[in-house]
Amino acid sequence: MSGMAFAQDEGAKTQTKSDSMDQKQTEAKKNSAGADVEAMEKQKKGQILSKQLIDSNIVNDSDEEIGSITDIVMDKNGKVAGIIVTVGGFLGMGEKHVALPWDSVDITMGDDNENYAVTTSLGEKELKNKPDYKTKRDQENEKRMKDTDKKMNDMKKEKKEKDME
């Protein structure tokens, strides 16, 4: 009898493992909010691919080209927060990267029905006067540079004080 009970226990363990695997596979098809995740099959009307915006020129209300889009900023929820625009400069020299909030630009289908026209009410001079956009990496590098400069200055000061003794 103990052999049969053992077989029943093994069958129950196998069933439990199978149920557990099915549950994990089902859970894998849900997002963090518990909603079912389905694949997107095609681009829908009104959806814009990031590659359709990156490198696009941005113009002001007078239809003057004032820069180009170099990146898109998304928030932690996956919503577009803004765009990074490169203004000024020539051949990569003197360029400035400025972040514009997403709701400050208008995006319309271009004349060629392929690309998008991006418009803002700001002029090139206004954009050039905005602060440079700094990524997390830029901010960390600046902090490291300041820390290193401070350490170097402290070391120079200590050396100078020792030399004076």
Side-chain angles (χ1 to χ4, degrees), residues 3-162:
M4 286 183 75
F6 181 77
Q8 288 174 346
D9 287 346
E10 282 297 316
K13 285 181 185 177
T14 303
Q15 183 63 37
T16 303
K17 280 184 180 177
S18 176
D19 290 345
S20 177
M21 287 175 66
D22 288 344
Q23 183 179 359
K24 284 181 182 176
Q25 288 174 344
T26 302
E27 288 172 2
K29 295 177 186 173
K30 296 189 180 281
N31 67 12
S32 60
D36 288 332
V37 177
E38 295 181 27
M40 297 171 63
E41 294 182 25
K42 60 184 176 183
Q43 184 177 2
K44 295 179 183 175
K45 185 176 181 173
Q47 291 180 334
I48 302 170
L49 301 177
S50 62
K51 70 180 182 180
Q52 291 173 297
L53 292 179
I54 302 294
D55 296 328
S56 292
N57 292 328
I58 185 165
V59 298
N60 62 15
D61 291 334
S62 302
D63 206 31
E64 298 167 326
E65 186 180 316
I66 57 173
S68 63
I69 298 172
T70 58
D71 216 336
I72 297 175
V73 180
M74 300 179 75
D75 67 18
K76 65 181 181 177
N77 298 317
K79 295 194 186 239
V80 176
I83 56 173
I84 307 300
V85 178
T86 300
V87 294
F90 180 71
L91 297 174
M93 300 292 288
E95 289 180 338
K96 183 174 190 169
H97 298 298
V98 178
L100 295 178
W102 185 244
D103 60 2
S104 73
V105 296
D106 291 318
I107 299 173
T108 56
M109 180 60 72
D111 295 334
D112 61 3
N113 285 329
E114 283 285 319
N115 298 305
Y116 289 87
V118 184
T119 309
T120 183
S121 61
L122 298 172
E124 187 174 6
K125 286 181 183 176
E126 291 172 289
L127 286 177
K128 285 181 179 179
N129 289 328
K130 298 279 184 200
D132 279 325
Y133 180 78
K134 295 179 182 166
T135 64
K136 289 274 191 190
R137 178 179 281 167
D138 293 339
Q139 295 169 50
E140 290 166 1
N141 287 340
E142 277 185 6
K143 184 179 181 330
R144 265 192 296 265
M145 294 279 285
K146 284 180 183 176
D147 291 346
T148 301
D149 285 347
K150 184 180 180 331
K151 286 178 186 176
M152 292 294 288
N153 287 334
D154 289 348
M155 288 171 58
K156 286 178 184 177
K157 185 178 176 183
E158 284 177 26
K159 185 178 182 327
K160 196 174 196 178
E161 288 173 0
K162 283 184 182 180

